[in-house]
Amino acid sequence: LVFSEHRFFGKSMPAPPEQLDASMGLLSSEQALADYATLLEHIRSSGGRRRPAVAFGGSYGGMLAAWLRMKYPGAVDGAVSASAPILSFLGLDPSYDAGSFGKGVTYDASAKGGGSHTCVQRVSSAWKALFELGKSAAGRRQLDSIFQLCPSSRLGAEEDVLSLAGWLQSAMDFMAMGSYPYSSSYMLNGGGVLPPYPLREMCRLLGAADEAPPRAPDVPSLLASLREGVGIFYNYT
């Protein structure tokens, strides 16, 4: 098993730290693929016989694995590519679905994905309330209070609510990507630990159990529960 370090990561630096800005032209996925093809040729040809090789990876690593097989088909005998958005680029024909990732996150929070049938509704309601309150100065002050924003992050204008929404969405995106059946530090880069199925835990904090009929919380309580839910990701300490 060979895990080759990507250029510009770890010790694979082409220049001292103070000179890296001037070396960014050496950092690209195409050059990384050429590195891997060269390394594989060396490894596979050593020892007097050509050894079989399979590339594998997930996310960006999965993209590299697939591209390696496509661009250098002789470098590997096959590739296993997981969660690799190799077709998620502008200008492709047919064009990619820009909402596909969001659909996956939504599925994760739904009953079919292990969440609940009301969780998606609660998040959707919270989103609408967020932008409605953001239309007025009084509403934005209420959002500042509910989300306990620092003075430097308070919402001074309606467009600032987009930044708050992006911050909330980012937590849900990462929790969906880290939806493992066990506790894991992977999504937090080893700095902390997320619980098993963290997005389901967020749904629990939203009060989105399978109620019949579902109880509709008041707006401040709904948004406060969303704050606590994304805190699973942001406040892991």
Side-chain angles (χ1 to χ4, degrees):
L1 178 63
V2 177
F3 187 92
S4 178
E5 189 170 78
H6 195 294
R7 56 169 59 199
F8 280 75
F9 287 83
K11 296 181 179 180
S12 300
M13 296 294 177
E18 64 274 9
Q19 299 176 16
L20 284 180
D21 287 347
S23 305
M24 285 297 147
L26 301 174
L27 174 59
S28 71
S29 56
E30 290 90 344
Q31 290 166 320
L33 292 174
D35 291 341
Y36 297 147
T38 301
L39 176 62
L40 281 163
E41 179 62 28
H42 171 73
I43 294 174
R44 298 186 70 188
S45 300
S46 62
R49 64 183 180 87
R50 191 165 182 82
R51 296 169 171 81
V54 175
F56 66 93
S59 191
Y60 175 53
M63 297 166 76
L64 291 174
W67 288 335
L68 183 65
R69 177 62 173 160
M70 295 163 67
K71 188 172 179 62
Y72 299 96
V76 289
D77 297 289
V80 179
S81 179
S83 300
I86 61 172
L87 300 179
S88 294
F89 294 93
L90 295 174
L92 295 178
D93 185 20
S95 60
Y96 81 103
D97 180 3
S100 59
F101 185 83
K103 292 174 184 175
V105 176
T106 301
Y107 176 85
D108 227 28
S110 71
K112 289 184 178 179
S116 74
H117 75 279
T118 54
C119 187
V120 175
Q121 297 172 2
R122 293 280 170 86
V123 174
S124 179
S125 296
W127 228 242
K128 293 175 183 176
L130 183 76
F131 286 105
E132 186 62 33
L133 286 171
K135 293 178 180 179
S136 68
R140 291 192 293 273
R141 286 194 295 272
Q142 188 175 1
L143 291 174
D144 289 339
S145 175
I146 291 172
F147 287 99
Q148 302 174 357
L149 300 182
C150 298
S152 60
S153 301
R154 287 174 184 162
L155 309 173
E158 185 174 349
E159 54 265 26
D160 293 339
V161 180
L162 283 172
S163 297
L164 175 59
W167 179 77
L168 296 168
Q169 179 183 336
S170 183
M172 290 184 272
D173 290 347
F174 276 101
M175 286 192 286
M177 289 190 288
S179 189
Y180 307 124
Y182 45 81
S183 298
S184 172
S185 64
Y186 179 66
M187 284 296 152
L188 299 174
N189 294 317
V193 177
L194 289 177
Y197 298 118
L199 205 60
R200 297 183 192 181
E201 184 66 15
M202 186 200 77
C203 286
R204 186 188 67 79
L205 292 174
L206 274 166
D210 287 328
E211 303 163 349
R215 174 181 53 83
D218 62 89
V219 168
S221 296
L222 176 63
L223 294 177
S225 64
L226 180 60
R227 178 200 68 216
E228 294 302 309
V230 301
I232 295 171
F233 179 77
Y234 289 122
N235 297 329
Y236 55 84
T237 54

